[in-house]
Amino acid sequence: MTEPLPPHYYLHNFRFMIDWVTDQHSDLLNAEESAFIQTFNQLNQDSQCLLVRMLGRKGCWFRSAKLHYAEIGDHELAAEQLIQSGLVSPNAPLSITELVNIVTKPELLLLFPNLLQAYKSQRKEILVEVLAAHYSEPANWSQWTRNQLDNLYRLDVQHISDTLRLLFFGNAYQDLTEFVLQDLGLFRYEQYAIDKQHRVFQDRTEVLQYQQLVLLRELFDAADDLNALQQLLPLLPEKFANPAMERRRARLFNQVAYEFERYGELTTAIQLYRDVTLPPARERQVRLLEKLGKFDAAWQLLNEILTHPANEHELQLAHRMAPRLARKIRADFVKPIKQSIKEQRLTLPRITDEQGNPLIVEAVAQAYFDKPEAPCFYAENLLLNGLFGLWLWPEMFRSVAGAFAHPFQGAPLDMYQEDFLMNRPGINDLWQLFDRDQHVHHIKAVWEQKFGITNHFVHWQFLDETLVELALHCIPASPLKAMFQRLLFDIQANRSGLPDLIQFFPDQKNYRLIEVKGPGDRLQDNQLRWLNFFAEQKIPAEVCYVSWQ
């Protein structure tokens, strides 16, 4: 049974974060952030607790009646210290729009009895429209409420906390729940060295660039028409020197370009795609140039992709577009000959679970193939990725410059970057394990030593010891090595698209991979790439098309 968290767990975690940032990133902090850390450390425990509680909630407005926590003694005294320290503002001005989001409908009727008397039976949304038409200027909380309600506080340091969190995690999507999951024992993390000299952010400029990209993405996501999109274009930044930051900028440009595509602004979209090289920028340019009738330019760019593809997916799409475009400019193009993919077709009865709900087609097929002497597992991407993560473990978590920014990583920061292999020559030793037939011992040993520790490729609930042993018994070294090589060639793209089922034949030390497709379902691009690879490597794999009885 999970032990309950101590009352001040969140305060301990927040203190850990700011101490870590102070130690690792003090030179990246501005004067405001440094002053905040100093001020926070001088607060009493109740005030620290109340501030961290507020930082963990959404928005900047907090009513005193809703700020009650059992571990905090005197909430009013704690809030007063936050006010005196300049971290929270009392009675701050707010607009009528902000006000209506803070109070309830009965409270609105109390505050504006004359204006809303005729609308008291209407929905709150109607009341909001009436108030918005009468009040255009902000006012203080006390002016709006005439002291009829509890106090209201405005949190003034959320942006500072966000920056500290960004410096700690190296990204904007992780938060302090990572600590909680570890505190509860739900997640455990590998112990690795963190190199202060090779951080995610080398200087303050890169921090500001990251924050700029986050803000721009939010602005573009909120833009709901073409005019709003066009007004944001001048805000897009020039190329960044930091490769990781440039990849983030490229992802934003691709997203924005696609939005302009949707509005039919093809020329603007092409200009945005041209500014970056990250897929699918070149492939989208080819399609748009073709759409505009600029076939020669499209063909030239397409040949660049065919000659120097960024990844397998880009090459796959180029091969798909080439015959059509070649016909339009009367050019020669010989499509590569691929090995045929084995198929079988089954007609199976519907199967339901204990509640009478029909099972998904993969589960029905798995039940059909499963035999005592030839067990079949619904593995999809979990099995091969899991074995891959166990095999690669020593190099994944090796102390490499810039690989680790904080103690809560399930993979190094450069996992999906071009220099991942270059930074880890020790992977050559891991390949030799297959040649010496020592890979089985290595993978089993890692499973035993690291069980339960977070690894982006390993799902421990699925990958039990029995399944690991069965897979290693039935899959020979050569095909397993080949599959790992393809995974490592483009980890981000190739970790998905693997067949749904794997069936083992222990007596023959053999296996087969089965991709299941139900009525109306078709193979996805990443699935096709894996199946073509299996055919080329003579790895037993097939597609099973299921129809219902």
Side-chain angles (χ1 to χ4, degrees):
M1 185 175 179
T2 304
E3 292 291 329
L5 291 169
H8 300 97
Y9 72 93
Y10 58 93
L11 177 59
H12 167 78
N13 294 339
F14 190 82
R15 285 172 174 167
F16 182 92
M17 181 183 75
I18 63 174
D19 289 345
W20 179 280
V21 170
T22 301
D23 179 62
Q24 300 280 331
H25 307 288
S26 59
D27 58 310
L28 302 184
L29 300 174
N30 63 21
E32 183 186 31
E33 292 149 3
S34 297
F36 166 79
I37 293 174
Q38 184 177 3
T39 300
F40 180 84
N41 289 329
Q42 293 172 350
L43 297 173
N44 63 42
Q45 181 166 288
D46 278 354
S47 294
Q48 288 185 345
C49 285
L50 184 59
L51 181 65
V52 177
R53 285 289 196 183
M54 295 169 78
L55 288 168
R57 286 165 58 172
K58 290 185 178 180
C60 65
W61 298 106
F62 297 89
R63 294 180 61 170
S64 60
K66 296 183 179 180
L67 287 176
H68 285 283
Y69 301 96
E71 72 278 7
I72 299 176
D74 191 326
H75 289 75
E76 290 188 10
L77 190 61
E80 183 60 31
Q81 189 180 28
L82 296 180
I83 293 169
Q84 295 300 322
S85 300
L87 307 176
V88 166
S89 295
N91 200 30
L94 66 162
S95 67
I96 189 66
T97 303
E98 291 172 312
L99 176 71
V100 298
N101 288 325
I102 294 169
V103 301
T104 64
K105 178 183 175 182
E107 288 172 337
L108 284 178
L109 295 173
L110 172 67
L111 299 179
F112 305 96
N114 297 329
L115 184 59
L116 300 180
Q117 177 65 29
Y119 303 94
K120 62 181 181 180
S121 61
Q122 300 290 331
R123 302 190 317 274
K124 184 180 179 182
E125 291 78 5
I126 303 299
L127 275 59
V128 170
E129 293 176 5
V130 174
L131 291 170
H134 281 77
Y135 298 100
S136 58
E137 297 297 323
N140 293 336
W141 175 253
S142 61
Q143 293 173 316
W144 287 121
T145 65
R146 299 182 302 282
N147 297 321
Q148 298 180 82
L149 301 178
D150 54 325
N151 294 325
L152 181 72
Y153 306 120
R154 187 187 67 195
L155 179 64
D156 295 329
V157 292
Q158 183 68 63
H159 65 290
I160 298 176
S161 176
D162 290 344
T163 300
L164 298 178
R165 182 166 52 85
L166 174 61
L167 289 172
F168 181 82
F169 287 108
N171 60 65
Y173 56 84
Q174 284 183 289
D175 56 36
L176 295 184
T177 56
E178 302 285 343
F179 288 88
V180 178
L181 294 171
Q182 178 166 266
D183 291 341
L184 289 171
L186 300 178
F187 284 173
R188 291 166 49 218
Y189 294 91
E190 181 62 284
Q191 301 294 312
Y192 40 74
I194 296 178
D195 187 355
K196 183 179 178 180
Q197 301 303 315
H198 298 83
R199 303 171 297 195
V200 178
F201 304 108
Q202 295 301 311
D203 53 46
R204 183 71 186 190
T205 299
E206 293 180 357
V207 177
L208 296 176
Q209 288 172 345
Y210 190 105
Q211 292 174 323
Q212 179 189 16
L213 293 177
V214 171
L215 176 61
L216 284 173
R217 186 174 295 276
E218 292 173 354
L219 292 173
F220 277 104
D221 287 343
D224 54 2
D225 58 38
L226 179 59
N227 183 55
L229 277 174
Q230 290 172 330
Q231 290 180 358
L232 293 172
L233 280 178
L235 300 178
L236 289 173
E238 300 292 329
K239 291 185 184 295
F240 293 149
N242 182 300
M245 211 65 64
E246 176 58 23
R247 275 190 294 274
R248 295 187 180 98
R249 190 189 76 98
R251 284 196 292 268
L252 174 65
F253 269 61
N254 283 339
Q255 176 192 2
V256 175
Y258 188 72
E259 288 302 309
F260 277 97
E261 272 195 65
R262 291 177 58 244
Y263 284 105
E265 296 290 320
L266 305 189
T267 302
T268 302
I270 289 174
Q271 291 172 346
L272 290 167
Y273 285 132
R274 280 177 180 163
D275 202 66
V276 298
T277 58
L278 186 74
R282 292 194 299 177
E283 173 250 323
R284 297 310 306 168
Q285 287 181 68
V286 172
R287 293 183 186 277
L288 297 184
L289 289 168
E290 182 183 7
K291 201 169 186 179
L292 292 171
K294 299 180 178 181
F295 303 131
D296 288 333
W299 180 250
Q300 181 179 349
L301 182 56
L302 183 65
N303 275 279
E304 290 179 16
I305 297 175
L306 291 168
T307 306
H308 301 290
N311 54 39
E312 288 182 338
H313 187 217
E314 189 180 50
L315 181 61
Q316 181 185 34
L317 294 175
H319 281 146
R320 193 173 294 163
M321 292 186 289
R324 181 184 70 246
L325 199 53
R327 287 194 298 271
K328 290 182 178 180
I329 64 168
R330 298 181 179 178
D332 294 328
F333 177 75
V334 179
K335 196 171 183 179
I337 299 174
K338 295 182 178 179
Q339 299 286 334
S340 60
I341 298 172
K342 185 178 179 181
E343 298 179 357
Q344 70 166 307
R345 299 183 183 276
L346 295 176
T347 301
L348 300 177
R350 285 277 195 177
I351 301 177
T352 59
D353 60 19
E354 295 177 355
Q355 287 73 41
N357 301 312
L359 296 180
I360 60 174
V361 66
E362 293 86 355
V364 174
Q366 184 266 332
Y368 171 82
F369 288 114
D370 190 43
K371 303 289 189 297
E373 70 281 5
C376 184
F377 295 86
Y378 182 19
E380 201 170 10
N381 301 310
L382 298 181
L383 178 60
L384 185 59
N385 278 317
L387 295 174
F388 174 77
L390 293 174
W391 168 78
L392 189 61
W393 198 297
E395 293 303 317
M396 272 186 69
F397 294 102
R398 183 174 297 283
S399 179
V400 171
F404 301 102
H406 58 85
F408 304 106
Q409 292 181 217
L413 294 172
D414 63 344
M415 187 82 233
Y416 304 119
Q417 297 176 13
E418 297 82 357
D419 54 0
F420 176 81
L421 290 174
M422 188 187 312
N423 292 335
R424 293 165 179 80
I427 291 179
N428 291 328
D429 295 331
L430 294 180
W431 290 130
Q432 291 176 18
L433 294 176
F434 290 100
D435 304 330
R436 298 195 297 263
D437 204 25
Q438 295 175 348
H439 66 288
V440 173
H441 173 76
H442 166 71
I443 292 173
K444 287 182 179 180
V446 173
W447 188 97
E448 292 175 357
Q449 296 165 11
K450 305 297 183 181
F451 182 82
I453 296 176
T454 302
N455 179 314
H456 278 348
F457 297 96
V458 181
H459 294 260
W460 294 109
Q461 289 182 325
F462 171 81
L463 201 66
D464 61 38
E465 190 171 15
T466 302
L467 181 57
V468 170
E469 290 185 352
L470 184 60
L472 294 175
H473 173 76
C474 292
I475 305 176
S478 178
L480 190 61
K481 179 181 180 180
M483 288 186 275
F484 285 2
Q485 286 172 329
R486 184 172 189 271
L487 262 173
L488 204 54
F489 173 74
D490 188 348
I491 301 173
Q492 194 161 17
N494 293 339
R495 63 180 300 184
S496 62
L498 288 154
D500 300 303
L501 309 180
I502 184 167
Q503 187 172 22
F504 296 113
F505 305 95
D507 292 345
Q508 291 83 36
K509 291 187 176 182
N510 206 350
Y511 67 104
R512 66 170 169 172
L513 298 157
I514 307 170
E515 176 62 35
V516 180
K517 292 298 173 186
D521 200 2
R522 65 179 182 85
L523 291 169
Q524 303 299 312
D525 284 347
N526 56 352
Q527 296 170 338
L528 273 171
R529 292 195 297 273
W530 269 113
L531 289 166
N532 286 325
F533 170 81
F534 293 142
E536 292 168 1
Q537 296 289 324
K538 303 295 189 291
I539 291 174
E542 60 190 71
V543 183
C544 176
Y545 292 97
V546 175
S547 58
W548 302 119
Q549 285 182 357

